Amino acid sequence: MPSGDNWQSDVLRDLRGGTPQHQQPVPQQQHQQHQQQQGPGAPERPGTPAPGPASAYGYPQQQAYTDPPPHHQQAHAYQEQAHAYQQQPAVQQQPRAARRVTPDSRPVLDKRLAAAAVKPRRGEALGARALRAVRRTVSSSAAREVADSAATAEVLQQAVTTGRQIAVTSIRGGSGKTTVAALLGATYAHYRQDPVLLVEADPALGSLPLRLGAESLRWTTGDLAGLVEPQMSLLDVTGYLVQLPGNAWLLPGSQGQVGAMLDTAGYERVMVSLRRFFGVTVVDCETLPAEVARTALSAAQARVLTVPATLEGIASTRAVLEWMRNLPPHVLASTVVVLTEVAPHPGVDLGRATQELTEAGVTVTVLPYDRHLASGGTIRTDLLARATRQAATRLAAGVFQLSQKQR
């Protein structure tokens, strides 16, 4: 088993074509079958694994490698390999008995609907930004902010021995569940060197692809459940995913159509197979008490429960937390409740609400109101208010720390 320090290096070295001493290369005929692909950027069904060091059940032996190059060189090589793999032309192959029909690529948003969108707004008004700049100039808060940012970045960049899965769910719609999942995924992709995966386990017309800025979709979580195999490599897997900015990838839950299905067995098969390839996986779940959402929460190393900062939302969440006391103790201990401000002026005392929910045994944080997030559409981190970016980064660091405490 590779060490925690070199786990990312092993996966990325796999992509660069190094072959461990203990593994024989795959015959050329099998390698040609592996190159099959349907349409640009998405293989129809992988065959046998490509030549490389990945074994059928895990990572190669660490002693087969020399000293790895720096992390930024590994990430750059990985990006080039993944891009080249997705651009390869399709190769004809004889049909199989269990062959699946390749779904057509569909746009995330119809062009006529996209034309109705207006220019995205900044998270805070110009006057608020100017006032904050003046305050930072005449105070000593700038040094503290730099120190806090460095400490948070150090937490987010910690190495992992096995992939961490973080499940985001809610008890009702409109609580900012998908928004929080997108912010977490973007934060991990920004700070970490290893690949980050965002999974949409909400097939009922989920909006995660739109919030992440994806342009088109083809394969879904339910599709991949019938295709994933233990011997697949990272390049095999990424052929079914949507590449996002940075080192992040998206596995959608549907193609924007009513009737998409995802059962518990399919979800478990996908998550178990993909866990070894990605340092952090953020799962946008269905709302509770859906069966897949309960499975995702129990299998994750950390959990995020989004709650609208309203009296009804806080009362319902308190009841859910009381129910969760009957679950194993680590479930509550590794759960973070996020109070999302859905209006500029919440109708509750956030300080008192935080205290009430904290007494149930969970960590509570507040995601402040942000005009850019409230307007919907693709999230642009450069347009977020400074307070929103800081809250999202602190949330990502806190959830990641909790996940590190679990196996």
Side-chain angles (χ1 to χ4, degrees):
M1 176 67 67
S3 64
D5 293 336
N6 289 316
W7 175 80
Q8 301 95 334
S9 305
D10 295 343
V11 177
L12 297 176
R13 179 61 64 88
D14 181 4
L15 300 179
R16 301 179 67 181
T19 304
Q21 298 174 358
H22 67 278
Q23 181 173 344
Q24 297 298 325
V26 179
Q28 180 66 19
Q29 181 180 0
Q30 295 182 2
H31 174 57
Q32 293 177 352
Q33 293 178 357
H34 164 75
Q35 298 298 328
Q36 178 200 0
Q37 186 172 326
Q38 180 70 28
E44 179 174 340
R45 177 177 175 87
T48 55
S55 64
Y57 300 101
Y59 296 113
Q61 297 295 327
Q62 179 66 24
Q63 61 268 24
Y65 297 120
T66 58
D67 294 335
H71 285 301
H72 68 278
Q73 295 182 11
Q74 298 172 351
H76 180 69
Y78 163 73
Q79 292 280 2
E80 290 183 347
Q81 292 279 355
H83 179 74
Y85 179 82
Q86 291 191 339
Q87 297 302 320
Q88 293 175 359
V91 178
Q92 298 296 328
Q93 181 177 359
Q94 295 298 325
R96 299 182 180 180
R99 185 176 177 180
R100 282 176 172 264
V101 177
T102 301
D104 295 328
S105 180
R106 297 175 60 91
V108 173
L109 190 63
D110 186 88
K111 292 183 179 180
R112 292 174 296 179
L113 296 178
V118 298
K119 183 179 179 180
R121 305 176 66 189
R122 284 191 172 272
E124 55 185 343
L126 177 61
R129 298 199 304 273
L131 179 60
R132 175 170 49 78
V134 171
R135 288 177 176 175
R136 294 183 73 247
T137 302
V138 300
S139 67
S140 60
S141 61
R144 291 196 302 270
E145 289 181 7
V146 172
D148 292 342
S149 298
T152 303
E154 184 178 358
V155 172
L156 290 169
Q157 293 170 351
Q158 290 178 358
V160 295
T161 54
T162 57
R164 304 288 88 185
Q165 294 181 4
I166 298 170
V168 184
T169 188
S170 64
I171 59 176
R172 62 176 63 196
S175 65
K177 170 180 66 70
T178 299
T179 298
V180 170
L183 290 174
L184 287 176
T187 302
Y188 292 131
H190 175 74
Y191 282 96
R192 299 190 61 80
Q193 296 291 339
D194 48 10
V196 174
L197 176 64
L198 291 99
V199 176
E200 188 177 44
D202 186 1
L205 298 180
S207 59
L208 184 61
L210 178 60
R211 293 299 256 170
L212 292 172
E215 296 182 356
S216 61
L217 307 174
R218 174 173 288 180
W219 303 94
T220 67
T221 309
D223 296 328
L224 194 57
L227 298 172
V228 70
E229 298 175 356
Q231 70 270 23
M232 291 174 68
S233 68
L234 179 57
L235 287 181
D236 292 326
V237 170
T238 54
Y240 294 104
L241 308 179
V242 179
Q243 186 169 10
L244 302 172
N247 205 17
W249 303 85
L250 166 67
L251 179 58
S254 70
Q255 289 188 325
Q257 296 175 311
V258 178
M261 299 296 294
L262 177 64
D263 56 22
T264 302
Y267 173 81
E268 291 177 343
R269 178 175 173 81
V270 169
M271 298 305 292
V272 170
S273 300
L274 300 187
R275 179 177 178 180
R276 63 192 179 101
F277 296 119
F278 299 92
V280 178
T281 299
V282 179
V283 185
D284 181 15
C285 303
E286 298 174 295
T287 56
L288 290 172
E291 183 178 1
V292 174
R294 295 198 305 268
T295 301
L297 291 176
S298 62
Q301 284 76 43
R303 302 144 190 89
V304 176
L305 181 63
T306 60
V307 180
T310 61
L311 187 60
E312 308 89 84
I314 294 171
S316 301
T317 302
R318 184 59 187 266
V320 170
L321 295 178
E322 290 295 333
W323 168 77
M324 291 177 67
R325 289 181 181 273
N326 299 322
L327 302 177
H330 73 273
V331 174
L332 270 178
S334 58
T335 298
V336 176
V337 173
V338 179
L339 293 175
T340 58
E341 294 188 42
V342 296
H345 306 288
V348 295
D349 184 340
L350 292 179
R352 187 164 184 176
T354 299
Q355 180 181 358
E356 290 292 329
L357 295 178
T358 302
E359 292 177 355
V362 297
T363 303
V364 182
T365 187
V366 176
L367 182 65
Y369 174 79
D370 188 287
R371 297 191 310 174
H372 177 62
L373 294 179
S375 62
T378 300
I379 297 177
R380 288 180 49 183
T381 55
D382 60 310
L383 296 182
L384 294 175
R386 184 178 183 84
T388 305
R389 291 198 300 268
Q390 292 176 336
T393 304
R394 289 194 298 267
L395 171 63
V399 174
F400 182 74
Q401 278 188 314
L402 290 178
S403 72
Q404 289 282 62
K405 297 178 182 179
Q406 306 296 325
R407 293 192 302 171

